[in-house]
Amino acid sequence: MIKKHQILESAVENLRNQCQRIRVEVCPQFNWDCDGLIEISGIQFRCEIKQYVKSSHIPSIINQCKRDGTNLLVAEYISRTSMDRLVEQDINVLDTSGNCFIEITDRLFIHITGNKKILSEKEKGMNFKISGIKVLFSILTLEDEQIPSIRNLASKSGSSNGTVKHVIDVLESNGYIFSSGKNKFIKDRERLLEDWVSLFNRSQRSALQIGRASWIISNKEWQKVSLPEGMIWGGDPGAYLMNGYMTPAEFCIYTELPVREIVKTKAMVPNKEGDIIFYQKFWEGKLSELGSAILFYADLINQNNSRCLEAARIIRDERLTYTK
């Protein structure tokens, strides 16, 4: 509760600084029957407080807020996309960076966007390039909690020993892993997964895009297509092959081959305006079942619509058991 109270105090302070003519107060704690109570211009708001607002969790957050009668979600940071989805469901939002959308019909309207999260020095260290992303992905696909030696992890991820050591040092300083004797272990897989997904989608996905293609058959016949060795389905079709939940609407392929090789399928042709996206494969060897689940989860989160977020939630609950 201490952490939640700190989030609430920080969010309220930033809102006060930006809206100096509006009275914003935290109600006395003995009155709380929820995470927090605040008053804005004399209007009381019941608060649901979260440290992280993850895209995959938005459906459950919406249900929780509506069930509990919460009329303000407060968090450390809420992305513009996540904020828009919450506002669409009539949920007021406020974060510690000062971004907010708060509306009470005919009484109050505050809309502030564009404030970026202020990163600590430790958080700045997590802004890895693609080599670091590969190391993080390799760690996430480990079947147990113990981190292998730097040399073994470098071989597994296709990265240099120096890159691996840097990533391990940053992870340890940020509390994702810990040391016990001479060994290191994963401490917080869930947070590492969500932060890897966010980092991958935000800063490296576009760098891995190497081309596009168009269908020359109906995309409804995609399952009849035999991809060349060295290519795998990602996104919607990858997720469908994993659990059969969602009929694919968007298509992407991960490849270690040139995009032009897709003509061998007699189903697609390279086209820079096409709707099939090709990404450079960034892992070593064959992707494990756990690795596939993580990859497809990230792809679905990136699309950020209710259909894909629900499919991502199912993969997380069924395949990424450490995030339950």
Side-chain angles (χ1 to χ4, degrees), residues 88-233:
E88 286 172 2
Q89 297 297 318
D90 298 320
I91 295 174
N92 294 306
V93 289
L94 170 67
D95 70 20
T96 59
S97 298
N99 300 299
C100 69
F101 189 102
I102 302 172
E103 181 177 17
I104 302 296
T105 304
D106 297 329
R107 298 182 66 189
L108 180 68
F109 181 79
I110 309 172
H111 185 198
I112 302 171
T113 60
N115 293 326
K116 295 182 179 180
K117 182 180 179 182
I118 300 174
L119 300 177
S120 67
E121 289 304 312
K122 286 184 177 181
E123 289 176 313
K124 288 177 182 177
M126 286 293 291
N127 192 24
F128 298 116
K129 301 302 183 184
I130 189 60
S131 57
I133 295 289
K134 291 166 65 176
V135 176
L136 291 177
F137 185 72
S138 295
I139 291 172
L140 284 168
T141 60
L142 295 172
E143 296 294 338
D144 56 41
E145 307 307 307
Q146 184 170 345
I147 306 291
S149 69
I150 287 177
R151 181 177 295 179
N152 287 343
L153 191 53
S155 176
K156 177 179 173 65
S157 64
S159 302
S160 69
N161 289 353
T163 295
V164 172
K165 184 179 185 308
H166 171 66
V167 171
I168 293 296
D169 288 346
V170 171
L171 292 181
E172 189 163 14
S173 69
N174 280 275
Y176 295 95
I177 64 177
F178 67 96
S179 296
S180 178
K182 295 182 178 180
N183 298 316
K184 296 184 186 296
F185 299 86
I186 302 171
K187 180 181 181 181
D188 195 342
R189 275 190 186 258
E190 178 177 1
R191 185 163 69 99
L192 183 58
L193 171 67
E194 296 297 341
D195 288 351
W196 178 85
V197 169
S198 176
L199 182 61
F200 176 65
N201 284 338
R202 183 181 72 246
S203 65
Q204 296 302 323
R205 178 177 289 278
S206 60
L208 291 172
Q209 185 174 326
I210 58 173
R212 289 176 173 265
S214 294
W215 293 101
I216 55 176
I217 64 171
S218 169
N219 63 12
K220 294 180 180 180
E221 298 183 87
W222 71 271
Q223 288 189 80
K224 297 178 181 179
V225 178
S226 179
L227 294 179
E229 186 173 350
M231 293 186 180
I232 68 164
W233 291 110

Side-chain angles (χ1 to χ4, degrees), residues 73-86:
L73 175 69
V74 183
E76 279 195 331
Y77 182 75
I78 307 173
S79 70
R80 178 64 183 271
T81 305
S82 296
M83 185 175 288
D84 288 345
R85 291 205 62 227
L86 291 163

